[in-house]
Amino acid sequence: MNARRRLADVARGIVPADLVLTHGRVFDALSGDFVDADLAIYGDRIAGIGAYRGLQTLDVRGRSVLPGFIDAGAVLEASHLGVAEYARVVSTHGTTAAVLDFRAIAAVLGLRGLMSVLTEGRRAPIDVFCAAPLSCGRRWDSAAAGFDALDSTLLSLPGLVALGGELDGRALLETGGAVLAGGVHDAYLPAIAEAAGLTEGEAAALAALGVVADRRWDTPEEALAKLRQGLWLLAAEGTIASSVADLKWLARQARLDRVCLVSGACTAADLTQNGHLDAALRQAVRAGIPAGEAIRMVTVQPAQLLAMHERGALLPGRRADVVVVEDVRSFSVNLVIKDGRPVARQGASLLPAPAPGPAVGRLSMRPAVLLADHLAIRGHAGACRVIGLDGSGATTLQRATPAWGDGLLQADPASDLLKVAVVERHAASGRLGLGFVQGLGLAEGALCCSFAGSGQNLIVAGADDESMLQALHQVVADGGGMAVVRAGQVTASVALPHAGLLSALPAAALIAAVHDVEQAAWDLGCDALHPFLALASLADTSTGELRITEQGLVDVLRQRLLPLQD
């Protein structure tokens, strides 16, 4: 008897199901209502909702039974976890499928890196999908690799469900969407752009070019305009972004049936301690979004956006990806079933820890030889353009007067004025940009990391050149990562040997190591909640007023280079 016919017989009650969840409140993702019923599972499929007998039964005692959560916009690299370990962690929070664009991996390792992480993803306890990491062209920093056009190799990536990466909205409008040619209309691969600051007319033009979804906006009014022009919204609720306030406002203006809640960038500590999409659901409901609408944003709606026809709803024939939660306010996860098999119970994984993945990208650190003189900033006594960094990560163009002597401009930690440098690390080109930043708060020493900007370059900030140079050397020697220097000593460091982005450590060990290096940064006086995310953000030229790259200071609003001094 074939599997489909057997499944139909289970649905009719002729033969018992493999597993029946009894006495649950089963969520109907299509209507948004709950049904008091049993859920029958046969093999890796849902057999039906109703009254069933099974070879195994599990009384869920009135708990809510939901479809497995789908993250349409996950960011692996922010966690610094390997793919399989990331998947194991998020599976304990109810996530059964995640779409990642691996843009940072692609920038460093190209196709080889993509194939490596996707191969590792096949060993994961959830379904790992890929959004092709496209780029409209890097203007201000360089990377070892990347994709500025679709080709047959990219389109044949396993698990490819969307086009993503750095699809800058304004660049798409300026180029007529050239990077999307051949990929939008030939097959359904929704293009997901990052297009903050658009007018409604520009949003319409973006949709006309084939863009289907947007993950950035400056105001809720802009988000509403995009919805009205037919665009989907990917609303991030993670470590460095929160969209629930915008969703609360939007819910009073329009239906949210083209909105997906996504995790965005989350640290490993946040994923384990606060949660993943379960945490996003808690925040959404607390903000006043009806629970049924919020659940649809992580189930049937991302499935619709991404054409995942077998996922997102508890319907006969769909994949048996199920989450049982205590209630739909706390979203405390009691049980996670993936493909009909329990994978997590009460926040703990039922699966063994994954074996370390292949050591791809261990030789990715290739900066030029760095000497103290390379960090010298020559100039005249007087004011400079300075990056002003606030607690949210936003930057402004400020003016301040650094210390000066012998024709050199120096940091002035007493005025919270630190020197900052971005160093190209892929081709030993020797390119580096120098400037100053206010808002990091270091009283002494230096911080360095290897994941700055779209090029994933080295960035270092500090109170003196010697500490900065020592921190740079430590990160390079580690094959990438994070380091803190104080009083001539490396006080803490974390190695990220996989492309200078990912660790091979299990989550608990990585979280402890990152906490130690962050504590060392806080001991220097750093004001940022996440010191190295704040440091790396100084090179993000997609938002803010003033940033820094290997070419120097960038006026983000006008997209031009600025001199340090007039």
Side-chain angles (χ1 to χ4, degrees):
M1 184 181 295
N2 65 49
R4 281 291 176 182
R5 183 172 177 181
R6 183 80 173 183
L7 182 65
D9 286 346
V10 174
R12 295 166 64 194
I14 296 173
V15 296
D18 290 336
L19 172 64
V20 178
L21 303 182
T22 63
H23 304 113
R25 298 181 66 242
V26 181
F27 181 68
D28 179 352
L30 302 183
S31 69
D33 296 328
F34 287 86
V35 179
D36 292 330
D38 300 340
L39 180 72
I41 296 172
Y42 173 71
D44 62 354
R45 301 286 161 168
I46 302 294
I49 300 170
Y52 286 96
R53 58 194 175 92
L55 300 177
Q56 181 181 1
T57 60
L58 180 62
D59 188 348
V60 299
R61 299 180 180 180
R63 296 182 176 94
S64 298
V65 182
L66 314 178
F69 304 151
I70 302 170
D71 191 346
V75 179
L76 171 73
E77 295 91 340
S79 73
H80 303 305
L81 295 168
V83 179
E85 180 68 355
Y86 176 92
R88 187 187 68 83
V89 170
V90 302
S91 71
T92 66
H93 295 283
T95 300
T96 57
V99 180
L100 306 104
D101 65 19
F102 303 110
R103 66 180 68 180
I105 293 288
V108 179
L109 301 177
L111 184 62
R112 177 174 64 101
L114 279 180
M115 292 304 298
S116 173
V117 292
L118 288 170
T119 299
E120 185 181 354
R122 293 175 187 169
R123 301 187 292 111
I126 70 172
D127 295 321
V128 175
F129 294 99
C130 177
L134 295 173
S135 171
C136 294
R138 291 185 173 85
R139 188 171 183 181
W140 303 119
D141 55 6
S142 56
F147 303 98
D148 56 9
L150 285 166
D151 57 30
S152 58
T153 302
L154 199 57
L155 289 170
S156 65
L157 285 172
L160 184 67
V161 295
L163 308 178
E166 297 171 275
L167 292 179
D168 177 77
R170 295 206 175 277
L172 286 170
L173 292 173
E174 290 171 4
T175 62
V179 70
L180 302 178
V184 176
H185 305 293
D186 295 346
Y188 181 71
L189 291 171
I192 302 170
E194 298 181 343
L198 295 190
T199 66
E200 188 160 358
E202 289 170 329
L206 210 59
L209 290 174
V211 171
V212 173
D214 192 358
R215 64 168 80 232
R216 285 194 180 182
W217 52 89
D218 288 336
T219 65
E221 291 81 5
E222 180 188 346
L224 177 61
K226 290 174 175 176
L227 283 176
R228 286 174 174 164
Q229 295 301 327
L231 292 172
W232 286 72
L233 300 180
L234 269 57
E237 189 65 28
T239 298
I240 60 175
S242 176
S243 302
V244 294
D246 289 348
L247 294 183
K248 181 179 180 180
W249 184 89
L250 282 170
R252 297 194 295 266
Q253 313 296 323
R255 293 175 58 176
L256 301 180
D257 53 3
R258 287 197 317 283
V259 177
C260 300
L261 265 177
V262 302
S263 64
C266 292
T267 65
D270 270 356
L271 290 174
T272 57
Q273 296 163 12
N274 299 325
H276 190 230
L277 291 180
D278 56 333
L281 287 168
R282 281 192 290 275
Q283 294 300 324
V285 171
R286 286 172 187 166
I289 307 297
E293 289 189 36
I295 295 165
R296 283 174 55 86
M297 291 183 209
V298 298
T299 55
V300 69
Q301 286 169 202
Q304 181 183 351
L305 168 64
L306 299 163
M308 295 181 179
H309 304 302
E310 294 187 328
R311 297 169 175 82
L314 300 177
L315 294 173
R318 302 285 182 99
R319 285 188 177 273
D321 295 348
V322 184
V323 184
V324 179
V325 299
E326 296 293 338
D327 56 72
V328 291
R329 287 197 62 82
S330 71
F331 288 96
S332 177
V333 175
N334 176 268
L335 175 68
V336 183
I337 295 171
K338 178 74 187 80
D339 291 330
R341 182 171 64 116
V343 297
R345 189 74 186 260
Q346 296 181 332
S349 177
L350 301 177
L351 304 176
V360 175
R362 284 191 176 273
L363 300 176
S364 68
M365 302 297 297
R366 300 186 184 93
V369 175
L370 297 170
L371 304 175
D373 188 57
H374 294 143
L375 300 177
I377 301 179
R378 291 168 176 79
H380 58 79
C384 291
R385 292 180 177 85
V386 170
I387 302 170
L389 178 69
D390 70 18
S392 70
T395 60
T396 55
L397 194 163
Q398 303 291 330
R399 289 186 179 269
T401 302
W404 183 84
D406 296 327
L408 299 178
L409 299 169
Q410 301 285 357
D412 183 6
S415 302
D416 188 20
L417 189 60
L418 304 175
K419 186 181 286 188
V420 60
V422 174
V423 181
E424 188 279 324
R425 71 167 173 100
H426 307 292
S429 67
R431 289 190 298 272
L432 79 163
L434 295 166
F436 292 95
V437 59
Q438 280 185 324
L440 275 178
L442 302 190
E444 58 178 317
L447 313 180
C448 180
C449 68
S450 58
F451 40 87
S454 62
Q456 309 304 315
N457 284 311
L458 288 160
I459 188 168
V460 61
D464 64 273
D465 293 358
E466 291 76 15
S467 294
M468 293 172 67
L469 188 65
Q470 190 172 3
L472 279 165
H473 286 165
Q474 181 65 44
V475 171
V476 172
D478 285 342
M482 298 168 266
V484 177
V485 169
R486 183 179 192 179
Q489 299 292 322
V490 176
T491 55
S493 65
V494 176
L496 300 175
H498 295 268
L501 304 169
L502 305 179
S503 170
L505 294 174
L510 178 63
I511 290 167
V514 171
H515 178 268
D516 287 348
V517 78
E518 288 183 332
Q519 185 62 60
W522 295 326
D523 289 345
L524 295 182
C526 184
D527 296 325
L529 179 62
H530 302 286
F532 294 91
L533 290 178
L535 177 64
S537 75
L538 298 177
D540 177 8
T541 57
S542 67
T543 185
E545 289 185 8
L546 187 66
R547 304 285 181 170
I548 186 168
T549 74
E550 65 193 62
Q551 295 190 48
L553 293 177
V554 176
D555 178 342
V556 177
L557 301 179
R558 296 174 179 81
Q559 286 294 294
R560 62 178 182 174
L561 291 173
L562 291 176
L564 190 61
Q565 291 182 310
D566 293 324

